[in-house]
Structure formats: structure tokens, C-alpha cells
Amino acid sequence: MKNDNNMKIFVLDEEIYSKEAIALAAYVYADKAEIEYKRKKGKIEIKFESDESSDESIADDFVNEILNQQCRIDLTKKNSRVSTIIVTKALLSAAGEHTVRG
Amino acid sequence: MPVKEKKVKNKTKAVSAYGAVADSRWRKVSGKYLLINDFGNFEYLKSPDFDKWLKSKLPKKSKVFESLAEKGFIRTHMDFDKLTEKWRSANSYLFAGTGLHIFVMTLRCNHTCVYCQSSAIDSSKKNTDMSYRTAKASVDFAFKSPNPTITIEFQGGEPLLNWDVLKKTVTYARSVEKKTKKNLIIALVSNFSLMTEKKAKFLLENEVSICTSLDGPKNIHDKNRTYGKMSSYAVTVKWLKYFKREHDRQKNENYRIFKPSALLTVSKRSLAFGEKIVNEYVARGLEDIFIRPLAPLGYAKKYWDSIGYSADDFISFYRKTLHHIVKLNAKKVIREKMAMMILDKVLNAHDPGYLDMRCPCGASIGQIAYNHNGDLYTCDEGRMVGWSGDEIFKAGNVFKDSYSSLMSSPVTKGCVLSSNLEQQPLCFRCAYKPYCGVCPVYNYEVQQNLWGNMPSNDRCKLFMGIFDTIFELLAKPKEAAILRKWVQK
Amino acid sequence: MKHSKDEILLKSDLRKYSLDDIRYAAYSVTDEAHVELKKSNLKTIEISFKRKGKVSLKNTVKRFTDELKNEKIRADIFKNNAELREHLILKALSSEEKPQPQTDDAGLTPEQEKELDELISQVEEEIKKESSGRKNADPLGINQTWEEKNAGKRKKSKK
């Protein structure tokens, strides 16, 4: 990780951390940091600038958050059908669209 | 109905190393493997049996195998009808509409509790009282829910500060109940400081359940719940006695009088006094104590450093206090409500209606918080976030929105999606998944997004500690027998 | 495995554990460590653990390796049961309520039967009235807002 006052530049493997995961994590950190990312030869280069702290921990927290989002994406690939069925049922029942058990 | 293994042409399909194992999750509790499946069935296994189960090497005539087969842990021996019926029973809330409707009658309060999560304001500010027009519209809205049972819970601030409107609303709600032929439950959560016999009589005659806060003996309660120069404890205890007496001596009334109940909010100050607090409840003749952890929401978030505590601290308090409660049961029945709700799920596959602990959570689809001005929130916690200026959990308004538009609002959908444990990486693998739930409001307030991040989520850690405590007790026959009695049907 | 007090580097073989398994196991210890994964070569993932606070990084890495073994087993079991699980949950969500079994004393007295018949015809009458001449009836009024319902009603003047 390169450091330049509050700006950090780091590179992640796109095979391990998808662009989608990085985008979701960047959204979570939108209030805490300015984040830019771009593809660079099979890697993703991330520029992370935060006023909150000059030490590395907030950028490291951000990488943990990318992993959080990535694991959610991994799970969605395996389990989206059951997940969707349950949520759909819950919302439809609440809206009275199906017969309700007493 | 046994599941047949597939054969492809003349060669058996390569099966996994765990071919006969049904989908299950596990965790180490009290030195054993605690196995739990989607249907809520559980089994404790010693390490050698766990290994044998994984490798499908348990002798088929062994008690362990038979028990695991009966509970749906052996893929080739699953009773589909029985298991799906159990899943359906445990998740019955998926088939119902909003049951709990929280009416915030006023934001005013005459107490200044150290942890006030309702973010109450000074009792002179009447512009935060719910008008009768709003209350009436809220009753009408609540009855639009397809749920055959509607619960209206009056809260605040201190709801008795808006007594005239509260009284009229109770009368109106009972009339709507008769018209719609639904079942209406009314509850009042009050600090009792403004209770009178006349008010009490009206409430009892209209079958209003009475609930208050009792944080323990006088020195603990009054330090947590300041009531000017007076003793909040004295007034609480006085009216608890009154309502208990009315309940105990009721006979042949045209209405039912329910036992009064009390809630404990655990603050930092409470942590050293678990046993004393429980003893106070027993002394007051209360049979249930609800040990509620404090969450860093609303007012409590601002003062968390002075009133809050870590998940580890709460778990230690809960474990010690629950053990004390179980010991006391040898002489006198006193039950812990959080444990009861969990046990109801675990032992009876019954949904106890605890909206914080279900998948998806009860945001809008299980409960609605009606603010004094008619604004509708996903839950009371969401309303507290709104009070601090962030309206992310405001789902609509009782005058401007229909019930169906509330259920399909982006706010409702966002909370439902983000509290779906099937999409939470840690929860999906957690042994306690069939019984648990996440809170998007907590996640948002503490971790800045609705989904949260469970490995570092203190609420997750806290709930896991509660589950561990209960399952540790369930592994011991004497203690298990006491816990089972608590939820015997 | 390289290590110092504040950082441990570990290598994980992709021939033994899938990337999903490694990612999840790494994720599971993010309460105690900042974790970063890098592809070392085609078959190896390098995982860096940097400790948060005063935890023992060795214990964190042990948690990771235990969780990795568990995750491999869980993933296998899940894959094996995914279809069946989906079928059972669908079955649970779509099955009709089973009628309660009759008990010996469940029969109604003639008076109770008469009362029930009267109640049924009352309800049928009400349903007929509500749905007569109205298409797309909304008996619960759930599609109507308060404002729509009360439009045109004169407000009472406040004194």
C-alpha cells in the first residue's frame, strides 16, 4: 500500500475481489472516504483518501469490507433461489396477497 | 420417505464424502458438537459420533443414528412431510401480515432515564402529542393488516401524558374490533407516574395489558430512571402491586384482567447486580423477567461510553443471571423472557412473535411504529433513528399512504432484504440460524449499512452468547427439565 | 508461513480448498484481523493477517485454519443437499394447512350446528353485499389511503 499523506493506493487481485464487491464497499464507505478504482492488467487499483485518519487502519477496514461484500456475492450465487422465495413470501403475505393462516 | 441415491448407467455417481449427511450446521457447545438443521431440530454429539455421522459410519441400529434420522440429519431417512410441517410452524410469520402496531402517543416524558432509547422530550412540549384524528387514522390503518390478530401497543415518551386521546383511542379500537371481527390485543407501556384508580379501572375494563419498567431494587432503579425529586421505584412498585392484586382477585368479570409485566433494561450500572435484580422481581411477585440488552440507538448512542457495555460484558451478566434464575426455580418459578422466546422456537417450533429474532426481521411486515404526527416507521428503533434527523427508516405516513403501498415501499423492501439470513454469509453458516435474526437498524447505526458485517457485529456476538448460554443449560438434564417446563404447552 | 507479532502471511493451496472457502474463512476472522488475499501463483493464495487491537494473531490464524476445514465440509454438504433443501422449503411455503384430526368429543350439538349455520349464512350475505356490482373489490381497503377515503368530507372547524 502506497501512502501519500491521507491518500493510499493499493492493488487487489480482480480474481479474488470482484469489481462489484469493491463498488458495494465503496458505497458503504462513501461518507468516510473518497474512493476511486480502475482495472489495471488483471488487477484493480484503488485510490483511497480519507480525512478520518492518517494511519492505515481505515483503509484496511475498507479491504475487510470488500471481503464482506464479496462473501455476500459468493453466497448469492449459491443460494439466490431459496433466498428470493422466502423474501417474496414474506412481502406478499404482509400485503395480503395470499391466504393467511390464522 | 427415503431419498434414493442416483445411479448413472452402470456406474454409481461419485458421491461426496458426506453423501448421507443432510444439510446441517454445527457448533461446539459444552465440549460437544451441537448439530442444528433448517427445521430447528438439534442434537448434541460427542466428537467420535460427530465424525462417524459425517462419514456415514454410525451403526444404523444405534440410538444416535435413530435420533439423528428422526430429526432429519440423515439424508436417506427424512420424513419430508413432518419436517416441512415443522419448518412451516416455526416460520408461520411468513404467512401473516403486520401484527404489532406501536402508537407513540407523545414524545413527552416526566422521567429522564439514562438510557432512554425513545429519545423522550420535556413534558411541557405538547406539540409532540398524537392527536385523536391521527390516532383514529392509525387504528383504521392497523386494521387494514391481513393479520387476524392486531396488537396495539401504546408507548411514548410517557403515554399517560396524553391520556384523553389514549382513552378515546382504546374505545374506538374496541369498536373497530367488533366491526371487523378481528382479535384485538391492547397493551400499555407506562412508568405509572400518572396512573390513578380511575385510569386503571378504565384500562382493566377494556382488557388493556399493563407493562412497566423495573430495573431492580430502589437504588438501581432510581439511579437509572430519574423522576425529578421523587422515586420512580416507589410509584412503579405501588402500581405493580395494584394491578397484580386486581389480577389475582378477579372473578366473574365481563372482562379479563391480565397479569402486569415488567421489563428490565440492562445498563452499565446493572451489570454487577444481576442476582439482586432477579430477587427484586421475585419479591414483587412477578413470574417473568425480560433481560433486555441496551443497544446504541437514539439517545443511548450519544451516551454509550457512560451507559453502554461490550457484548462480552452482557453475555457474562446474562449467563450469571440466568443460572441464578434456574437455581431459584427449585423454590419459586421465575422465568426469563428472552430464554422463553428462544425455547419456544427450539422446543416447540413455535413463533413467539419476537420481531428482533426472525428471518426476515419484522420491519413493517411484522410491526409498524406510528409516530405522534402520523409518520410510519419500520419499527420503534427506526423511529428513534428518525428522531436524530435521519429518516431512512420512515416508510410512509398514515394519511398519505395505503397499507399496501407501505408493504411495497423501498424502505420496507430494503429492510426485508438485508435481514434475510439466507444472504448473510456468517448467519447462513451459523448453527443458530433457524432461531435468530439480524437488525438492519442496528447495522445501519453501528456499521453504517443495512447489511452490517457480522464477524465484527456486537449484536451478533451478544445473541450468540445468549444462545450458547441456553444450549449449555439444555445439555444438562436437571436444568433442561426446568427450561422445558417454562414453555410447556 | 511468515510471521511477526503484527502480521502473519499464510499460503493456501487452491487444489485443496476452493477460493470461495478461503474467502469465507478469511472473512470469518475479520473481527480480529485485517485480512488481505493475493494470488501468489496459479495454485496458491497468500493471505496476510494484520492484527486489530491486542489479539493473539497466532490464535486468529488457528481460527482461520479451523474455519477453512469446516467450510470445506459445509460447502460439500450444502452442494449435495441444495436441491433437496430448495424443494423442502418450497413445499413448506406452498403446502395447504392440514385439517385438524377429529377427536371423539368434537361433534357439535344441534344448537351449536344451528348457530354455526346461521353465522355462515350471515357471512355469505355480507360477502354478497360487498362484492355486488363492484369489480376489483378491495374489502380490507388496503389500497386506499386515508386521504382518498376522506376526500370531499368537510373539515370540522376548530374552536
Side-chain angles (χ1 to χ4, degrees):
Chain A
M1 199 180 282
K2 289 183 196 170
N3 250 343
D4 178 12
N5 295 331
N6 292 341
M7 154 100 83
K8 282 148 198 80
I9 300 173
F10 50 95
V11 171
L12 298 177
D13 274 308
E14 197 179 2
E15 271 184 69
I16 299 174
Y17 301 93
S18 66
K19 223 175 164 201
E20 194 190 345
I22 294 169
L24 288 167
Y27 184 74
V28 173
Y29 271 69
D31 288 344
K32 292 185 193 171
E34 296 271 339
I35 300 164
E36 279 177 37
Y37 52 93
K38 62 180 178 190
R39 258 199 198 100
K40 219 177 178 183
K41 296 174 191 175
K43 309 263 185 204
I44 301 187
E45 182 184 88
I46 301 171
K47 286 183 186 163
F48 184 94
E49 188 168 1
S50 167
D51 293 332
E52 273 194 27
S53 175
S54 60
D55 69 50
E56 289 198 1
S57 67
I58 186 172
D60 290 334
D61 287 339
F62 175 65
V63 178
N64 273 1
E65 181 60 39
I66 301 173
L67 190 56
N68 176 27
Q69 299 298 338
Q70 185 60 58
C71 288
R72 264 211 306 123
I73 293 166
D74 293 344
L75 182 58
T76 305
K77 284 188 188 142
K78 289 184 202 175
N79 195 34
S80 61
R81 205 164 128 78
V82 166
S83 168
T84 306
I85 287 165
I86 288 172
V87 157
T88 305
K89 182 67 182 176
L91 287 167
L92 285 177
S93 296
E97 300 273 342
H98 282 220
T99 309
V100 171
R101 276 180 93 194
Chain B
M1 191 162 74
V3 173
K4 290 180 188 165
E5 294 298 329
K6 277 187 190 173
K7 288 201 179 194
V8 177
K9 295 217 173 164
N10 288 322
K11 71 177 178 196
T12 308
K13 187 180 169 191
V15 293
S16 90
Y18 314 104
V21 168
D23 194 50
S24 320
R25 293 157 184 85
W26 56 87
R27 184 176 176 79
K28 267 251 165 108
V29 169
S30 299
K32 289 187 186 170
Y33 281 92
L34 171 64
L35 225 58
I36 302 179
N37 60 22
D38 273 328
F39 314 103
N41 290 324
F42 69 97
E43 185 81 21
Y44 297 94
L45 290 180
K46 292 179 188 164
S47 282
D49 287 335
F50 177 77
D51 287 337
K52 283 181 193 165
W53 165 71
L54 270 182
K55 292 167 186 164
S56 310
K57 286 187 172 157
L58 282 171
K60 289 203 168 101
K61 293 204 174 146
S62 66
K63 276 194 183 149
V64 175
F65 183 93
E66 280 170 11
S67 179
L68 289 173
E70 205 252 323
K71 292 176 183 179
F73 289 105
I74 311 281
R75 195 164 182 270
T76 48
H77 289 70
M78 295 171 81
D79 182 336
F80 288 177
D81 287 342
K82 191 171 151 194
L83 291 169
T84 53
E85 188 47 43
K86 191 160 189 196
W87 192 96
R88 195 184 157 92
S89 170
N91 294 278
S92 58
Y93 53 84
L94 288 175
F95 300 84
T98 316
L100 176 61
H101 303 265
I102 297 169
F103 285 21
V104 180
M105 299 310 290
T106 179
L107 295 184
R108 294 188 291 144
C109 192
N110 55 9
H111 276 45
T112 40
C113 304
V114 295
Y115 46 61
C116 184
Q117 294 191 177
S118 68
S119 303
I121 63 169
D122 184 76
S123 54
S124 63
K125 299 219 167 32
K126 288 194 175 180
N127 61 333
T128 60
D129 285 3
M130 187 182 272
S131 68
Y132 180 57
R133 177 176 170 266
T134 305
K136 204 163 166 274
S138 301
V139 170
D140 290 340
F141 195 98
F143 273 87
K144 296 277 165 67
S145 164
N147 199 316
T149 301
I150 303 296
T151 300
I152 292 177
E153 187 175 283
F154 293 110
Q155 278 190 24
E158 171 46 50
L160 294 184
L161 278 165
N162 193 8
W163 171 249
D164 290 339
V165 172
L166 193 154
K167 188 176 171 196
K168 278 160 81 176
T169 308
V170 168
T171 306
Y172 179 67
R174 286 287 178 216
S175 73
V176 177
E177 179 191 17
K178 279 197 182 90
K179 212 164 78 176
T180 59
K181 297 190 172 70
K182 288 198 180 213
N183 179 31
L184 174 65
I185 298 168
I186 306 180
L188 169 71
V189 183
S190 166
N191 62 32
F192 288 163
S193 56
L194 298 171
M195 189 60 74
T196 60
E197 276 221 48
K198 194 173 171 191
K199 285 176 187 157
K201 202 163 176 276
F202 171 84
L203 292 167
L204 294 178
E205 283 169 3
N206 282 275
E207 294 195 356
V208 177
S209 297
I210 309 292
C211 185
T212 190
S213 278
L214 180 63
D215 280 5
K218 185 180 188 316
N219 61 328
I220 301 167
H221 181 104
D222 280 346
K223 282 213 176 94
N224 270 353
R225 302 175 64 78
T226 325
Y227 175 32
K229 290 186 179 157
M230 289 173 275
S231 166
S232 169
Y233 172 85
V235 105
T236 301
V237 156
K238 172 187 163 181
W239 286 103
L240 267 175
K241 238 189 246 178
Y242 173 90
F243 286 113
K244 189 173 180 308
R245 193 180 60 229
E246 291 301 304
H247 165 266
D248 291 345
R249 69 181 191 191
Q250 69 179 307
K251 47 185 170 191
N252 302 324
E253 257 90 32
N254 295 332
Y255 49 87
R256 296 164 297 175
I257 299 176
F258 303 106
K259 265 186 231 177
S261 59
L263 305 165
L264 162 68
T265 303
V266 179
S267 69
K268 199 184 241 178
R269 188 175 283 122
S270 320
L271 294 178
F273 300 107
E275 291 182 18
K276 282 197 159 73
I277 293 169
V278 172
N279 293 348
E280 177 69 24
Y281 270 68
V282 173
R284 295 291 142 217
L286 293 161
E287 288 176 3
D288 295 331
I289 175 170
F290 189 176
I291 301 177
R292 292 188 312 167
L294 196 54
L297 306 172
Y299 187 86
K301 185 178 178 183
K302 208 172 155 192
Y303 296 96
W304 191 250
D305 284 342
S306 53
I307 59 169
Y309 38 78
S310 67
D312 286 331
D313 285 341
F314 180 83
I315 292 163
S316 172
F317 169 84
Y318 186 81
R319 184 171 271 126
K320 211 171 152 199
T321 311
L322 188 62
H323 280 241
H324 175 67
I325 290 171
V326 169
K327 258 197 221 149
L328 277 179
N329 269 253
K331 293 182 192 165
K332 178 111 179 101
V333 173
I334 172 133
R335 306 172 299 188
E336 200 281 307
K337 269 217 101 156
M338 176 86 78
M340 280 171 67
M341 289 192 284
I342 291 171
L343 290 164
D344 207 9
K345 290 172 182 253
V346 172
L347 301 174
N348 300 329
H350 177 254
D351 169 42
Y354 187 30
L355 297 155
D356 293 5
M357 220 185 243
R358 47 171 258 185
C359 161
C361 77
S364 299
I365 61 173
Q367 65 171 310
I368 299 170
Y370 299 70
N371 208 1
H372 65 95
N373 59 359
D375 283 343
L376 303 170
Y377 291 84
T378 54
C379 51
D380 207 36
E381 290 78 10
R383 183 189 64 84
M384 291 170 210
V385 172
W387 178 239
S388 56
D390 186 345
E391 296 280 44
I392 188 174
F393 295 104
K394 178 174 149 187
N397 181 278
V398 81
F399 296 108
K400 295 189 167 84
D401 294 287
S402 66
Y403 179 85
S404 61
S405 69
L406 195 83
M407 292 304 125
S408 56
S409 77
V411 177
T412 299
K413 285 178 181 169
C415 288
V416 167
L417 284 167
S418 57
S419 61
N420 184 4
L421 302 187
E422 296 288 327
Q423 290 287 275
Q424 287 278 1
L426 195 109
C427 305
F428 182 72
R429 293 153 170 94
C430 180
Y432 299 131
K433 175 179 164 286
Y435 317 123
C436 199
V438 301
C439 178
V441 179
Y442 179 97
N443 294 343
Y444 179 78
E445 282 284 88
V446 178
Q447 297 188 307
Q448 287 79 52
N449 75 98
L450 296 181
W451 291 91
N453 191 337
M454 290 307 125
S456 44
N457 186 298
D458 246 26
R459 183 184 181 278
C460 171
K461 193 175 186 183
L462 191 148
F463 274 36
M464 242 191 254
I466 292 173
F467 280 115
D468 280 344
T469 304
I470 290 167
F471 275 97
E472 280 159 13
L473 288 168
L474 280 175
K476 302 175 187 174
K478 215 168 96 185
E479 285 80 353
I482 291 169
L483 296 179
R484 281 177 193 278
K485 269 207 190 113
W486 287 1
V487 291
Q488 215 158 43
K489 299 282 177 198
Chain C
M1 181 167 106
K2 289 183 189 173
H3 64 95
S4 69
K5 197 177 81 173
D6 295 322
E7 185 172 2
I8 290 179
L9 290 175
L10 189 68
K11 288 196 176 165
S12 207
D13 190 342
L14 281 168
R15 289 169 298 185
K16 199 174 172 192
Y17 299 104
S18 73
L19 179 58
D20 278 8
D21 294 347
I22 296 168
R23 278 199 285 234
Y24 176 75
Y27 165 73
S28 72
V29 299
T30 51
D31 54 332
E32 291 184 345
H34 289 118
V35 185
E36 192 177 323
L37 286 75
K38 276 187 166 81
K39 205 147 188 215
S40 195
N41 55 49
L42 274 173
K43 300 168 211 162
T44 317
I45 301 279
E46 185 179 85
I47 309 125
S48 142
F49 299 89
K50 279 192 257 179
R51 70 177 184 156
K52 282 186 189 179
K54 290 177 183 168
V55 295
S56 154
L57 210 47
K58 271 192 183 163
N59 287 347
T60 305
V61 171
K62 172 137 195 340
R63 271 181 63 204
F64 165 80
T65 48
D66 288 344
E67 195 59 28
L68 190 56
K69 288 174 194 159
N70 267 325
E71 179 60 12
K72 186 177 156 77
I73 298 170
R74 272 194 302 252
D76 199 322
I77 293 172
F78 175 76
K79 193 174 166 192
N80 213 31
N81 286 279
E83 258 183 63
L84 177 60
R85 183 174 184 261
E86 192 178 302
H87 165 75
L88 291 175
I89 289 172
L90 252 173
K91 184 178 159 70
L93 285 171
S94 53
S95 55
E96 292 296 321
E97 185 172 358
K98 277 190 183 169
Q100 293 300 315
Q102 285 284 315
T103 56
D104 282 346
D105 59 351
L108 300 172
T109 63
E111 291 80 22
Q112 284 172 329
E113 273 203 33
K114 188 180 171 211
E115 198 183 314
L116 184 61
D117 286 342
E118 278 171 10
L119 184 63
I120 290 169
S121 45
Q122 208 178 65
V123 169
E124 280 174 359
E125 219 22 68
E126 280 171 9
I127 290 170
K128 256 190 220 164
K129 273 186 201 161
E130 269 183 40
S131 55
S132 62
R134 280 196 296 149
K135 287 183 185 173
N136 303 320
D138 175 22
L140 295 176
I142 66 171
N143 293 326
Q144 200 182 34
T145 68
W146 185 93
E147 284 176 336
E148 284 164 359
K149 188 180 165 192
N150 294 287
K153 281 188 185 170
R154 281 164 62 190
K155 279 187 186 175
K156 287 182 185 173
S157 58
K158 289 184 185 174
K159 286 185 184 172

